[in-house]
Amino acid sequence: MRDKTKKESTKKEKIFLTQSYFKYPLPEEMLKELSEELKDINLYPSGGGYTELRQILAEYVGVKRENILPTNGSDEVIEIVSRAYKGETLIPVPTFSQYEASADRGGLSKILVNCLNDGVYSLNYSAQQLDKASLVWICNPNNPTGTRIPREKIIDIIQRAEGMVVVDECNYEYLGETVIDLISRYENLIISRSFSKNFGLAGLRLGFAISNPQNIKKLAAFGQYFRVNRIAEKAATRVLKYLDYYQEVWGKMKKVRDKFVRQINELGFSAYDSRANFVLVEFKDKKETEGVWEYLKEKGIYTLPGWENEFSGLDDQFIRFTIGKEWEMDKVIEIFTTM
Amino acid sequence: MRDKTKKESTKKEKIFLTQSYFKYPLPEEMLKELSEELKDINLYPSGGGYTELRQILAEYVGVKRENILPTNGSDEVIEIVSRAYKGETLIPVPTFSQYEASADRGGLSKILVNCLNDGVYSLNYSAQQLDKASLVWICNPNNPTGTRIPREKIIDIIQRAEGMVVVDECNYEYLGETVIDLISRYENLIISRSFSKNFGLAGLRLGFAISNPQNIKKLAAFGQYFRVNRIAEKAATRVLKYLDYYQEVWGKMKKVRDKFVRQINELGFSAYDSRANFVLVEFKDKKETEGVWEYLKEKGIYTLPGWENEFSGLDDQFIRFTIGKEWEMDKVIEIFTTM
């Protein structure tokens, strides 16, 4: 354990608010159990079936095993659906860049639909677009705006879309809302989930797709046999035993996030309301944004500006801050006050 | 540690000779070091660059970092090249099934070229086939026959092929021969390697492609950003510190394998000479093969018959035995003598 007190007092300490991973210690007992699994890494993962892993994930989200496809991170859900539903894809920008990246790799044509107007992110697909698209993306909460997409809006899009609608719920654990219950009602719905960000397993890569058994079977045919590694498999059971701990951390993070949004706004900058573990801040123009971003970097605070590759269709006057520990966000605010 | 003595004496002990993984204990110290990495699994892997991992793999095989693309198992090399070189692919059957599986997923048309005649596996591509194909497979040593492909034969194919030639060297560590030195001479050569089978990392999934920087750049564009998990990354450095131990085990395995081949042949069955960690045995016909396979299973010995999905174009009168520990193979021979 590093000395946190020392960390707080050191001026040159770097604070990384770029990637959105779980920033608290993992349960000691969990790590111990996992380390005992290492001696069996000479054995292959469970492979194509992943029966036990699917069962665990199914129980966690309240569906059946045949509704689940585990993947090498939820990035692989994006990759696989982009191979399975070729044609034209609708991407609600600004949003996560991998929808575009996977579309490019799969040779889909992309329609980037601007959904951010006057500081409000709202899905903005036209009837004509929904008629033509083979694949429609909804990121809920949206990355990087942190916006909650209302359930009725999602249902409306599913009903109007001719193609497959994929709802990326990789930040479900912070939002607490899901449309998983709709998979039996609508054939054109796939949900993507992740254990990477919210359970502290980013390094192990564990995502999964949830849909009706026909869709899951189709998706499986587009993925490798041994997609998920053995330690990720074993970790899924382990982390769920510590759900109370994780929920406590998620609760803490949400408080830190809301305080950060409030303080940024009080300082006269413009932070978006967020239901995820990151906050988007809008500045006057590119010049001001560059100034802030550089100044923060000089002070050892690393953040993601709009001109980075992480996002599709994000303009230059934005910076995304992932939420760190309370002292880290306090430090950011302190630096903002000196600008 | 389980009690090996007890294992040997128990009649109902099951022996699995289906999958080809590293069947000896992993170095204790290595596992300890790796378990210390678990506390950081909340962090993402190194991602797209994988700079350090590429450097380690490059040094191991004697090339430069820009010649290396790490992947989620060498199955992902197969997957990625099948997406990068679409068109028609030549598959030298009987061989590993994933060339076909990835071709199917990628929508390539397949030409299964029979290379096994009168007990001899020999690459058998015609000039016309090599003119037309976009992707040509060579598995060296070939799975499941265990056959070594002579270097001059590989060079001949590279020179005659219009498309990309991929040499799957995932069992290099047993064969000890490579064509990596040819990547600077021929533009249409990619080599696939693995740490899964031979370093006991099958559960972690670690493969890599080796080629000239232009080809590597092209392949990278067809793979996800976070393909390789963090523990696999860390394991690559760790295992190479124990190369002496691994070499000792590989040597031991080769002796057990050669003894097994000799004994099977002495019993009047027909075992193929193998340069890998498995041995293919040919029987008279399907009926005899089924009889042997069933009889072995009754005795607790699990093997892969020709009718399983593991191989492309393997007929029904074959069984593949992966090489276990000496006492396991002795047990198999003992059972064969009672047939």
Side-chain angles (χ1 to χ4, degrees):
Chain A
M1 268 292 170
R2 276 176 293 180
D3 184 357
K4 203 183 109 183
T5 330
K6 197 178 152 206
K7 232 173 157 178
E8 293 181 46
S9 64
T10 312
K11 271 210 164 158
K12 273 288 165 193
E13 184 67 49
K14 288 179 181 174
I15 296 177
F16 291 96
L17 305 178
T18 45
Q19 290 178 315
S20 74
Y21 55 89
F22 187 83
K23 298 188 176 182
Y24 290 78
L26 296 170
E28 290 276 345
E29 193 56 36
M30 197 269 288
L31 292 176
K32 215 181 122 197
E33 283 181 42
L34 217 49
S35 76
E36 280 156 26
E37 298 288 349
L38 286 173
K39 69 173 191 319
D40 290 331
I41 50 172
N42 60 321
L43 304 178
Y44 280 89
S46 304
Y50 286 109
T51 315
E52 200 191 327
L53 176 60
R54 292 167 88 183
Q55 186 64 37
I56 289 159
L57 298 173
E59 280 170 23
Y60 174 59
V61 300
V63 297
K64 295 211 168 114
R65 197 163 65 204
E66 56 265 34
N67 297 117
I68 300 282
L69 184 82
T71 56
N72 188 33
S74 67
D75 279 3
E76 201 185 36
V77 174
I78 301 172
E79 188 73 18
I80 286 179
V81 297
S82 302
R83 272 183 252 152
Y85 302 98
K86 297 216 175 194
E88 192 168 284
T89 182
L90 301 183
I91 299 174
V93 297
T95 197
F96 185 44
S97 62
Q98 289 307 304
Y99 312 139
E100 247 197 286
S102 288
D104 288 342
R105 283 193 284 267
L108 285 78
S109 65
K110 303 171 296 185
I111 311 285
L112 305 189
V113 182
N114 178 44
C115 297
L116 184 60
N117 291 297
D118 292 331
V120 178
Y121 181 88
S122 176
L123 289 185
N124 205 8
Y125 294 137
S126 73
Q128 202 192 353
Q129 286 167 336
L130 289 169
D131 265 353
K132 268 187 72 191
S134 59
L135 181 59
V136 179
W137 286 102
I138 298 175
C139 185
N140 186 30
N142 185 54
N143 181 4
T145 56
T147 316
R148 165 188 178 261
I149 313 296
R151 183 180 170 87
E152 55 275 23
K153 186 91 194 180
I154 298 172
I155 293 176
D156 177 60
I157 289 169
I158 298 169
Q159 287 177 337
R160 289 159 61 216
E162 278 298 315
M164 183 56 68
V165 177
V166 186
V167 183
D168 183 345
E169 294 187 353
C170 74
N171 275 304
Y172 160 78
E173 278 76 11
Y174 300 114
L175 177 68
E177 292 176 17
T178 179
V179 289
I180 288 180
D181 58 295
L182 300 179
I183 57 167
S184 49
R185 203 181 322 160
Y186 298 106
E187 283 180 12
N188 62 334
L189 173 62
I190 293 170
I191 289 122
S192 173
R193 283 284 187 93
S194 171
F195 268 36
S196 300
K197 291 169 200 295
N198 310 327
F199 286 100
L201 304 183
L204 292 181
R205 320 301 302 129
L206 182 58
F208 52 113
I210 305 152
S211 191
N212 66 49
Q214 294 77 14
N215 292 336
I216 290 295
K217 222 171 162 181
K218 174 168 177 173
L219 293 180
F222 286 88
Q224 280 176 240
Y225 189 79
F226 292 123
R227 297 178 302 278
V228 176
N229 69 82
R230 198 176 165 89
I231 300 298
E233 268 190 89
K234 302 295 176 185
T237 338
R238 300 300 185 286
V239 291
L240 289 175
K241 292 201 291 183
Y242 300 92
L243 202 50
D244 287 353
Y245 169 73
Y246 285 103
Q247 278 167 341
E248 194 194 312
V249 171
W250 301 332
K252 207 185 294 180
M253 192 287 306
K254 286 191 269 187
K255 276 186 193 154
V256 174
R257 175 195 69 201
D258 294 345
K259 179 179 154 193
F260 179 71
V261 169
R262 203 175 55 241
Q263 288 179 318
I264 285 285
N265 287 330
E266 281 167 7
L267 287 169
F269 296 96
S270 179
Y272 281 67
D273 259 336
S274 170
R275 302 294 295 270
N277 62 346
F278 44 74
V279 167
L280 190 69
V281 181
E282 183 166 1
F283 298 93
K284 218 171 50 209
D285 51 29
K286 187 175 183 183
K287 202 172 156 236
E288 187 188 53
T289 317
E290 279 176 340
V292 171
W293 183 71
E294 283 289 350
Y295 186 70
L296 288 170
K297 210 169 69 170
E298 274 166 32
K299 301 285 181 185
I301 316 279
Y302 293 79
T303 59
L304 269 187
W307 54 86
E308 286 281 336
N309 283 333
E310 180 83 8
F311 314 109
S312 292
L314 186 64
D315 288 339
D316 289 339
Q317 78 274 27
F318 291 95
I319 295 177
R320 193 194 73 172
F321 297 77
T322 55
I323 299 302
K325 293 189 176 165
E326 188 162 15
W327 71 266
E328 293 177 314
M329 305 319 286
D330 286 349
K331 180 88 192 162
V332 176
I333 293 296
E334 190 192 311
I335 292 166
F336 261 97
T337 59
T338 66
M339 278 180 199
Chain B
M1 269 290 168
R2 275 174 294 177
D3 185 357
K4 202 184 110 184
T5 330
K6 197 179 153 204
K7 236 173 153 176
E8 293 181 44
S9 65
T10 313
K11 271 209 162 156
K12 273 288 167 195
E13 185 66 50
K14 288 179 181 172
I15 297 177
F16 291 97
L17 305 178
T18 45
Q19 290 179 317
S20 75
Y21 55 89
F22 188 83
K23 297 186 177 184
Y24 289 78
L26 296 169
E28 291 277 345
E29 194 55 38
M30 197 268 287
L31 292 177
K32 216 182 119 195
E33 283 181 42
L34 217 49
S35 77
E36 280 156 26
E37 297 289 350
L38 286 173
K39 70 171 190 319
D40 290 332
I41 49 171
N42 60 320
L43 303 178
Y44 279 90
S46 303
Y50 286 109
T51 315
E52 200 191 328
L53 176 61
R54 291 167 87 184
Q55 187 63 37
I56 290 159
L57 299 173
E59 281 170 23
Y60 174 60
V61 301
V63 297
K64 295 213 169 111
R65 199 164 63 204
E66 56 266 34
N67 297 117
I68 300 282
L69 182 82
T71 57
N72 188 33
S74 66
D75 279 3
E76 201 184 37
V77 175
I78 302 173
E79 188 72 19
I80 286 179
V81 297
S82 302
R83 269 183 254 151
Y85 302 98
K86 296 218 175 192
E88 191 168 283
T89 181
L90 301 183
I91 300 174
V93 297
T95 196
F96 184 44
S97 62
Q98 290 307 305
Y99 313 137
E100 247 197 285
S102 288
D104 288 342
R105 282 194 283 266
L108 286 78
S109 65
K110 302 171 297 186
I111 311 284
L112 306 189
V113 181
N114 180 45
C115 297
L116 185 59
N117 291 297
D118 293 331
V120 178
Y121 180 89
S122 176
L123 289 185
N124 205 9
Y125 295 137
S126 73
Q128 202 193 354
Q129 286 167 338
L130 289 169
D131 265 354
K132 269 187 72 190
S134 59
L135 181 60
V136 179
W137 286 101
I138 299 176
C139 184
N140 186 30
N142 185 53
N143 182 4
T145 57
T147 316
R148 164 188 179 260
I149 313 296
R151 184 181 169 87
E152 55 275 23
K153 185 90 194 179
I154 298 173
I155 293 176
D156 177 60
I157 289 170
I158 297 169
Q159 288 177 336
R160 289 158 62 215
E162 278 298 316
M164 184 55 68
V165 177
V166 186
V167 183
D168 183 346
E169 294 187 354
C170 74
N171 276 303
Y172 160 78
E173 278 76 13
Y174 300 114
L175 177 67
E177 292 176 17
T178 178
V179 288
I180 288 180
D181 58 294
L182 300 179
I183 57 166
S184 50
R185 202 178 325 158
Y186 299 106
E187 282 179 12
N188 62 334
L189 173 62
I190 294 170
I191 289 123
S192 172
R193 283 284 189 92
S194 171
F195 269 35
S196 300
K197 292 170 199 297
N198 310 326
F199 287 100
L201 304 183
L204 292 182
R205 321 301 302 128
L206 182 58
F208 53 112
I210 305 153
S211 192
N212 67 48
Q214 294 76 16
N215 292 336
I216 290 296
K217 221 171 163 182
K218 174 168 177 174
L219 292 179
F222 286 88
Q224 281 176 236
Y225 189 79
F226 291 123
R227 298 178 302 277
V228 175
N229 69 82
R230 197 175 166 89
I231 301 296
E233 269 190 271
K234 301 297 177 185
T237 338
R238 301 300 185 284
V239 291
L240 289 174
K241 292 201 292 183
Y242 299 92
L243 202 51
D244 287 351
Y245 169 73
Y246 285 103
Q247 279 167 340
E248 194 193 311
V249 171
W250 301 332
K252 207 184 294 181
M253 192 285 308
K254 285 191 267 187
K255 277 187 192 154
V256 174
R257 174 195 69 200
D258 293 346
K259 179 179 153 193
F260 179 72
V261 168
R262 202 175 57 242
Q263 289 180 317
I264 285 286
N265 287 329
E266 280 167 6
L267 286 169
F269 296 98
S270 180
Y272 281 66
D273 259 337
S274 170
R275 301 294 294 270
N277 62 346
F278 44 75
V279 167
L280 190 69
V281 181
E282 183 167 3
F283 298 92
K284 219 171 50 210
D285 50 28
K286 186 175 185 183
K287 204 173 153 233
E288 188 187 53
T289 317
E290 279 176 340
V292 171
W293 182 71
E294 282 288 351
Y295 186 71
L296 288 170
K297 210 169 68 168
E298 275 166 31
K299 300 285 183 185
I301 316 279
Y302 293 79
T303 60
L304 268 187
W307 53 86
E308 286 281 336
N309 283 333
E310 180 84 8
F311 313 110
S312 291
L314 186 64
D315 288 339
D316 290 338
Q317 78 275 26
F318 291 95
I319 294 177
R320 192 193 75 172
F321 297 76
T322 54
I323 299 302
K325 294 187 176 167
E326 188 161 17
W327 70 267
E328 293 177 313
M329 305 319 286
D330 286 349
K331 180 88 192 163
V332 175
I333 294 295
E334 191 192 311
I335 292 166
F336 260 95
T337 58
T338 65
M339 278 181 197

